[in-house]
Amino acid sequence: SARGPGFGIPSWKVDGMDPLSVRLAMDEVLAHLRGGNGPAVIEADVYRYFHQNGPFPGSAFGYRTKEEEREWRARDPIETVSGHLTRRGILTFEAIEACRARAQALMAEIGDELLEQIPGERPGRRRIREREWPAPDFADVGVRSDLSEFATTRFAERDTFTGELAEQKFIDAVSGVMARRMAADDRIIVLGEDVHRLNGGTNG
């Protein structure tokens, strides 16, 4: 949020775990935008309960403490709103629990529609159903170029490729391409997280 004013863009910083604060901030921002006053920046502080992928919390990897996670869990937005509603007599605890159960049932129903058990894997290991994947020719839908900028580009398909084929992880393929381009052109550099032996993190 401190960056915005440097570019003449008004900024708001809000506690993203407090739904009322978010609503009030958004009302102000919308009034600014709809008043024709240009763009705005909103910084909402929120907490990610789990690691960036998988079912484990950050404490399982050592970069957070269980105490910190408990403190943020106590500020869960759904629990906060539920508390406000029950204290003001707007909804009962039972009504909120019924709403939560309906939401969980709906999400499970959606999951069953989109996912299927992976054959031969342990129960619960699922994949996206084949019918849900878009058709390959959909890749060009909405492309507004005539692709003439690729006129001199060399393409190879699996059935016409004459080089060596090998299975490898996606991340290794990406890394290999970047390494080859950097070796061939010293103007190319890579900036980002985890680019050094996949162990950089936000500070590496």
Side-chain angles (χ1 to χ4, degrees):
S1 57
R3 300 287 186 185
F7 295 93
I9 301 174
S11 300
W12 279 256
K13 183 177 174 67
V14 63
D15 179 1
M17 302 293 280
D18 184 339
L20 180 58
S21 295
V22 173
R23 172 59 189 266
L24 294 174
M26 289 304 300
D27 283 346
E28 293 183 10
V29 175
L30 284 171
H32 167 83
L33 297 174
R34 290 169 176 165
N37 300 308
V41 171
I42 305 168
E43 179 182 353
D45 291 327
V46 295
Y47 195 77
R48 189 182 68 198
Y49 294 137
F50 296 96
H51 190 55
Q52 61 189 16
N53 55 58
F56 301 105
S59 57
F61 300 91
Y63 62 83
R64 287 178 177 159
T65 65
K66 291 183 181 297
E67 180 183 12
E68 174 189 313
E69 289 170 345
R70 281 194 298 271
E71 290 175 353
W72 280 94
R73 279 284 187 183
R75 301 189 59 243
D76 183 275
I78 295 178
E79 298 299 334
T80 299
V81 171
S82 298
H84 290 326
L85 293 173
T86 53
R87 282 192 300 273
R88 288 165 172 75
I90 298 172
L91 282 178
T92 64
F93 175 78
E94 291 75 18
I96 290 174
E97 287 302 298
C99 180
R100 190 192 305 270
R102 288 199 305 274
Q104 290 174 336
L106 176 60
M107 294 306 297
E109 182 182 337
I110 293 171
D112 291 340
E113 180 70 23
L114 300 177
L115 306 172
E116 64 183 1
Q117 172 69 34
I118 301 177
E121 292 275 353
R122 57 181 168 80
R125 291 274 295 167
R126 301 198 289 178
R127 66 186 179 191
I128 297 174
R129 294 181 187 275
E130 188 67 30
R131 68 170 186 260
E132 301 298 336
W133 290 101
D137 57 5
F138 185 75
D140 293 333
V141 172
V143 175
R144 290 178 289 183
S145 168
D146 62 2
L147 305 184
S148 59
E149 61 268 35
F150 294 109
T152 60
T153 301
R154 181 173 60 89
F155 292 93
E157 299 292 347
R158 177 186 290 270
D159 56 353
T160 59
F161 182 64
T162 58
E164 181 182 352
L165 293 174
E167 284 195 12
Q168 63 179 173
K169 294 180 179 178
F170 179 79
I171 196 167
D172 291 332
V174 172
S175 178
V177 170
M178 290 195 298
R180 289 193 298 274
R181 295 300 302 130
M182 293 171 72
D185 189 341
D186 61 9
R187 297 172 301 172
I188 297 175
I189 62 171
V190 176
L191 300 175
E193 294 182 24
D194 296 332
V195 297
H196 177 62
R197 299 181 182 177
L198 299 181
N199 198 31
T202 56
N203 301 311

